[in-house]
Amino acid sequence: MKKWFAVLGNPIHHSISPKMHEQWFRTHQLDASYVPILVEPSHLKESVDSLALLGCSGFNVTVPFKEAILPFLDVLDESALAAGAVNTVVRDQEKWIGYNTDGLGLLASIPQLTPETRVLIIGAGGAAKGILAALHQRNVQNITITNRSINKMDLLAKQYSTSVLDLTKVNENLSQFEVVIQTTSVGMDSTETPVELTNWNSEMTAVDIIYSPPETLFLQQAKAQGAATMNGLAMLIGQGALAFELWTGIKPDQQEIRETIFRQKGETHVNK
Ligand code: ATR
């Protein structure tokens, strides 16, 4: 029987997930489809219940439901518990099982990442938390967090046993990091950056979780100083690939989809 999958969000029209999963279903000759569903925040529970009744095999969850979905799932995987958020749900034996593939999807797209890599995380919100959980899972030891508000930074640093660095001191200490991951929403639909950074060098990689615009001011500044840059599209494809694998057991090809999406959204690969 044909299987079907979905993505729940609000708004949802911008989502590239349907295109990505449909392409992978075709490539692997799977009889399945994937639909975007616009959900009213007050109807999240009813929507999830309806998906079960209608035989949905799994779904993605996007803004603003990644945390709100938790009470409506039956089981939470370790990845979801650690991040406190869910982006992928699998239907298994009449149960909804929640996972979080965002952080691991992002890390999978940073080829140079090893347990010894010196990583700086900018931001201490939900996205930072998911990435820290994934860094922990990948056994990355040398992590520093910086954030505008000290309290949130200290809380997260304590939880994940990381170092902290005052936001105003980041630029003068920048060269001690190999990978810098910008996790705030600053730079989305604007030309701002959470912190002015000018001390990049060609040994470093700047990662921004934002993919629209394809090159934030944060990435422009890094690129101007010779650092490698990567935007949020890699994370988007990485999290999708892990979701696809959870649903089908197949690791899909990320390169082909990257090229399809690049044509529409602009360049995003490591430019080194
Ligand atoms: P999300 O769940 O998407 O990560 P969030 O929990 O609201 O969103 O967190 C947003 C992050 O962006 C926080 O780290 C926030 O810093 P504060 O903890 O100081 O609020 C950061 N952020 C938002 N606006 C910012 C700005 N103008 N400059 C610097 N950091 C900012």
Side-chain angles (χ1 to χ4, degrees), residues 63 67 122-129 146-153 167 182-186 188 192-195 209:
V63 177
E67 292 172 27
I122 302 174
K129 200 168 165 193
T146 188
N147 189 49
R148 182 179 59 178
S149 84
I150 310 282
N151 288 356
K152 272 166 87 179
M153 170 176 86
L167 197 59
Q182 195 301 104
T183 72
T184 78
S185 53
V186 182
M188 200 185 277
E192 291 167 42
T193 172
V195 51
I209 66 163

Side-chain angles (χ1 to χ4, degrees), residues 248-263:
T248 65
I250 297 169
K251 275 188 207 298
D253 178 35
Q254 297 187 38
Q255 192 51 39
E256 193 191 346
I257 199 81
R258 198 161 294 199
E259 282 156 17
T260 309
I261 297 165
F262 277 167
R263 280 199 292 275

